[in-house]
Amino acid sequence: MTYIQEKFIDEVTKNDWKHIYAERYKIDQEVSSAIDSILAVQVGRINKTKRIVDYGYDAKDTILRHFTIADDAEDVLARRWFSGIALSGLHRSVAIEQWVKLRRGDDVSLARALGAFDMFILQKGHDDLEDMEYALDDLAERFIGENPDFSNLRKPTQAMCLARYLRLHGLIGVIDDVNSRHDVVKNNLIGAALFEGHQHSLPLITVAIFCCVAERLGLAAFPCAFPFHVFAIVFTTDEQPQAGDDSRSDPVPQHIYMDPYWTSTEIPVATLVTRLTSMGVPQEDHKMYLSITNRSEIVARCARNIARSVQTLSHAQNRPPGAISQSIFYGALWALALLDGDETEPDVHGAHYLPALLTNMEATFPTDVLMVGKHFGPVLADNTLELHIRAKDEDVRKVKSRSSQASKSVRYRVGQVFRHKRYGYRAIITGWDVKCAASDLWMSQMRVHELPRGKQQSFYHVLVEDQSKRYVAEENIEIVEHEPTGVLVTIAGQFFKRWDAQSKTFVSNIRDEYPDD
């Protein structure tokens, strides 16, 4: 909730609106100043981004103004890129806070607990946690509008009526085609199911939507995490646990089981017991699988589903995950690190996921380093990665001027686009060395000695269209002069202000390092 939203909760006449305007103006100026400073120099970007994120949603409108800057702006690509970094960092911090609250036992709605995963890929200004709650409110209102006699029905009939309605409107369940597969990552997201229309949600998300809408209709329904599936427990009397109760408890006798993923009808408990027995589950464990599953466990299970989906898809395609899958996978690692593990030892909660979390953070989300330190500081006491990332961010770049005699041999310039002669990919030059500056081990692995011009030729740091960063020998570069399109233009904002049609190059935003390019 923003500062302004909090004030509207109070009686309007009691607010000092002049002071409120001054506060918002101050935040707007400070956020804009931080973004301008991030664009101006490469040093200290982590702390500047944190300053923005710490304002929370009060900074969002300002960030979005920079993010949606006009196409003809002087620094359009850089401003969109770094305001996007701040915006996504803000969304991640909001998501992570939901799981931190869950870990300490606070009441977090099921929609927010699961919707936090969507926040890791949210780049626009809507469809966030508040919008998910509103969408569910609207869904419940529409349902009542089409079923005015709902309150007069018996609760089992209410549950079946709701499941039938949701399935009819394509919000839950599955269609037997390629998009319904478990390795389609978005099938694990409640926001995607609510906003993208006829999303093929997996059982856990199907049941979550059913339970969230049921709660709004006065029907107590809770997830029940079965082996390899998720059911819903629906209570048919007023004697029931509180919706925010995060402990596994025995359901009272007056309840039914529903499987809205597959059907709108009740599932007999005998059917579930038979399934457990056929799976070899000991009878003494049946009660656990037939009881309410707390929200922390549901989030952790969703995170494991996401991790499996991303890994399965990456293996099938024989390439690293794309940007969206990578972001969702990173969210899954956060959830598992915070919520998975032994609840009796909260300090080591999910600690075995931290190495993977740190690796992904360093590679793709380095501005999160302070957030990692905040939540896992004691566990990371002996880890030097945080210090390394922060030191690199604060390191003043060594200036590479073209005034020296040696640099005159460097043929190409920062901002030029090229095609790799051997591998065919397109990339942008982001830096150069007069000769290969890589380690002997890297040169041996890359077989630099086999190149016709060897290691004495200039080598270039490049940003590739697949978003990787590589080091390329001059002899493998073939300059391309037509204007690039697609993802290469978007990611160029990391280093460049805009595309210049006259010079057929990107305009550098790293002149603190390469002043002559």
Side-chain angles (χ1 to χ4, degrees):
M1 183 177 294
T2 68
Y3 179 74
I4 289 290
Q5 287 173 325
E6 289 176 353
K7 294 303 176 185
F8 273 108
I9 292 176
D10 302 327
E11 187 176 332
V12 174
T13 57
K14 292 182 179 180
N15 289 316
D16 183 349
W17 292 104
K18 185 176 180 180
H19 173 73
I20 292 170
Y21 174 81
E23 280 296 309
R24 284 308 302 265
Y25 180 79
K26 176 185 175 184
I27 292 171
D28 180 85
Q29 292 297 298
E30 291 183 356
V31 170
S32 292
S33 175
I35 292 175
D36 288 342
S37 181
I38 288 170
L39 267 61
V41 293
Q42 299 180 71
V43 178
R45 284 172 168 168
I46 287 176
N47 280 322
K48 293 168 189 174
T49 303
K50 181 180 182 297
R51 276 169 43 203
I52 297 171
V53 170
D54 283 349
Y55 281 115
Y57 271 16
D58 286 313
K60 189 165 183 175
D61 286 344
T62 306
I63 299 172
L64 284 170
R65 191 176 71 245
H66 289 271
F67 186 65
T68 55
I69 193 170
D71 291 342
D72 59 357
E74 171 66 21
D75 56 3
V76 55
L77 298 181
R79 192 165 296 275
R80 284 178 180 170
W81 177 266
F82 287 105
S83 57
I85 292 292
L87 185 61
S88 59
L90 171 58
H91 289 150
R92 290 194 298 273
S93 72
V94 170
I96 290 164
E97 186 58 31
Q98 307 308 307
W99 298 330
V100 170
K101 288 179 179 178
L102 270 183
R103 183 170 68 170
R104 67 177 179 234
D106 295 353
D107 184 21
V108 178
S109 74
L110 185 59
R112 287 177 176 270
L114 291 173
F117 290 110
D118 292 82
M119 299 294 284
F120 279 78
I121 60 170
L122 183 64
Q123 271 287 359
K124 45 193 175 182
H126 55 86
D127 296 355
D128 62 9
L129 298 180
E130 290 289 344
D131 294 310
M132 292 179 207
E133 297 279 18
Y134 294 149
L136 290 163
D137 291 343
D138 181 66
L139 189 53
E141 289 178 11
R142 285 191 282 121
F143 172 78
I144 288 297
E146 296 182 33
N147 297 271
D149 297 326
F150 177 77
S151 61
N152 298 325
L153 302 175
R154 294 175 60 249
K155 289 189 182 295
T157 307
Q158 287 181 340
M160 289 183 274
C161 180
L162 175 60
R164 188 161 48 248
Y165 176 88
L166 295 175
R167 289 176 60 80
L168 181 65
H169 287 75
L171 282 156
I172 61 178
V174 65
I175 298 174
D176 189 19
D177 65 11
V178 68
N179 292 319
S180 69
R181 291 174 1 198
H182 282 61
D183 59 3
V184 177
V185 180
K186 279 195 173 184
N187 290 354
N188 294 281
L189 303 180
I190 191 171
L194 290 171
F195 297 123
E196 295 188 6
H198 292 273
Q199 180 72 23
H200 307 280
S201 55
L202 297 186
L204 187 151
I205 299 301
T206 291
V207 168
I209 293 174
F210 174 83
C211 291
C212 289
V213 178
E215 180 183 10
R216 286 161 168 77
L217 299 173
L219 190 62
F222 304 90
C224 171
F226 206 73
F228 310 110
H229 201 65
V230 179
F231 294 94
I233 294 176
V234 182
F235 290 90
T236 56
T237 70
D238 293 331
E239 184 184 351
Q240 57 209 5
Q242 295 299 310
D245 183 8
D246 261 9
S247 60
R248 277 194 180 270
S249 57
D250 296 336
V252 294
Q254 294 81 8
H255 68 279
I256 62 172
Y257 292 90
M258 297 286 296
D259 183 8
Y261 181 77
W262 286 117
T263 179
S264 303
T265 60
E266 176 186 352
I267 306 297
V269 67
T271 300
L272 301 181
V273 170
T274 299
R275 285 194 195 179
L276 290 172
T277 302
S278 66
M279 292 177 186
V281 177
Q283 188 171 356
E284 59 268 25
D285 291 338
H286 285 195
K287 184 174 71 173
M288 176 178 67
Y289 290 114
L290 295 172
S291 301
I292 295 172
T293 305
N294 70 52
R295 289 169 188 167
S296 291
E297 291 181 50
I298 287 294
V299 171
R301 182 161 177 159
C302 186
R304 288 190 289 271
N305 288 346
I306 289 170
R308 278 193 293 269
S309 295
V310 173
Q311 291 165 344
T312 299
L313 188 61
S314 180
H315 178 74
Q317 296 177 339
N318 195 29
R319 65 177 185 224
I324 290 178
S325 294
Q326 188 176 51
S327 296
I328 300 174
F329 181 71
Y330 179 63
L333 292 173
W334 265 101
L336 291 168
L338 286 167
L339 298 173
D340 195 50
D342 187 354
E343 294 182 357
T344 64
E345 296 185 76
D347 288 340
V348 294
H349 226 83
H352 53 290
Y353 292 103
L354 277 176
L357 174 63
L358 293 171
T359 298
N360 279 263
M361 181 270 293
E362 181 186 22
T364 313
F365 309 95
T367 53
D368 285 359
V369 64
L370 300 180
M371 194 155 52
V372 171
K374 173 184 175 181
H375 295 297
F376 301 108
V379 183
L380 296 174
D382 298 325
N383 193 296
T384 61
L385 182 60
E386 178 182 351
L387 295 175
H388 168 73
I389 293 174
R390 295 182 65 176
K392 183 178 178 181
D393 181 62
E394 295 294 338
D395 184 38
V396 176
R397 303 301 192 271
K398 180 181 177 181
V399 177
K400 292 188 175 182
S401 170
R402 287 185 177 265
S403 60
S404 68
Q405 187 63 37
S407 66
K408 295 186 185 305
S409 65
V410 180
R411 181 177 180 182
Y412 303 119
R413 308 181 73 83
V414 169
Q416 287 186 288
V417 180
F418 72 92
R419 184 188 69 84
H420 195 284
K421 290 181 179 178
R422 181 174 181 183
Y423 298 117
Y425 62 74
R426 293 178 184 269
I428 316 170
I429 295 172
T430 61
W432 48 259
D433 293 310
V434 173
K435 61 181 180 179
C436 187
S439 67
D440 290 339
L441 177 61
W442 184 89
M443 285 191 280
S444 175
Q445 291 173 335
M446 297 296 107
R447 293 154 63 171
V448 172
H449 62 281
E450 295 181 10
L451 293 172
R453 293 172 57 191
K455 67 179 183 180
Q456 295 303 319
Q457 64 183 304
S458 298
F459 271 69
Y460 298 82
H461 301 277
V462 307
L463 179 64
V464 184
E465 56 194 345
D466 66 1
Q467 304 191 44
S468 64
K469 294 170 184 176
R470 306 185 191 182
Y471 198 43
V472 179
E474 189 171 86
E475 66 184 65
N476 284 324
I477 289 177
E478 180 179 82
I479 295 298
V480 174
E481 293 193 337
H482 60 264
E483 183 173 357
T485 58
V487 69
L488 198 58
V489 177
T490 302
I491 64 176
Q494 297 173 66
F495 302 96
F496 304 101
K497 294 181 178 181
R498 58 183 171 80
W499 171 260
D500 182 66
Q502 185 173 357
S503 65
K504 297 182 174 58
T505 62
F506 284 99
V507 177
S508 175
N509 193 44
I510 51 173
R511 289 218 163 97
D512 54 337
E513 187 174 1
Y514 296 94
D516 303 320
D517 284 59

